Amino acid sequence: MTTERSLVLVKPDGFRRGLTGEVLRRIEAKGYTLVALSVLTPTREALERHYAEHEGKPFYEPLVEFMGSGPVTAVVIEGDDCIKGFRSLAGATNPTEAAPGSIRGDLGRDWGLKVQQNIVHGSDSPESAQREIGIWFPSL
């Protein structure tokens, strides 16, 4: 096992529904440590940097627009294999397909084509985690 860090975002839909506490509870219950936490409404510039690899794809603009629509909770977590572990805890991207017991499976809603409204984001690799943490928490 490798101790690593990951960025977790409670997206605007999760924040609006008051699910930040439940998401954090599940993260801590899994045994991961909260290293940094911030509640903010992201700037377009930060979102463009965060989602740069998706620029030009059909879902890019709706995703950036949605993510800037309200406050998010940005969290850096740390723990053994926490990138893979959190992504499993989050569940499948589409809440309708996410397994019961996962964040998206238990708390997500069927928004049709709006799969970006799926409660949480988690880094998908150590390289992404490092890049994303640098965007959201430049002092770390």
Side-chain angles (χ1 to χ4, degrees):
M1 290 214 194
T2 304
T3 299
E4 56 193 9
R5 287 184 172 180
S6 181
L7 178 76
V8 172
L9 300 175
V10 179
K11 295 180 174 185
D13 58 324
F15 188 90
R16 271 192 292 276
R17 292 179 52 209
L19 298 175
T20 296
E22 176 62 16
V23 170
L24 296 177
R25 185 196 67 76
R26 289 176 184 225
I27 289 169
E28 289 184 313
K30 186 81 172 169
Y32 301 136
T33 301
L34 306 180
V35 175
L37 185 143
S38 178
V39 175
L40 70 153
T41 300
T43 64
R44 181 166 181 94
E45 177 188 37
L47 293 169
E48 287 173 350
R49 289 177 54 214
H50 182 90
Y51 292 112
E53 71 271 15
H54 300 303
E55 190 172 4
K57 295 178 182 173
F59 62 84
Y60 174 79
E61 192 57 41
L63 177 59
V64 170
E65 189 175 304
F66 164 67
M67 288 297 293
S69 70
V72 302
T73 304
V75 185
V76 177
I77 65 170
E78 184 175 82
D80 291 335
D81 292 320
C82 71
I83 293 170
K84 182 178 176 182
F86 177 77
R87 291 180 66 79
S88 177
L89 185 63
T93 301
N94 184 336
T96 302
E97 298 170 1
S102 69
I103 292 168
R104 293 174 179 145
D106 290 351
L107 307 174
R109 293 173 148 173
D110 181 359
W111 295 107
L113 298 176
K114 298 180 180 179
V115 294
Q116 68 267 26
Q117 296 185 30
N118 60 4
I119 313 292
V120 292
H121 161 84
S123 303
D124 65 4
S125 69
E127 297 77 22
S128 291
Q130 184 176 9
R131 183 181 64 78
E132 293 172 356
I133 290 168
I135 293 168
W136 295 85
F137 295 94
S139 63
L140 288 183

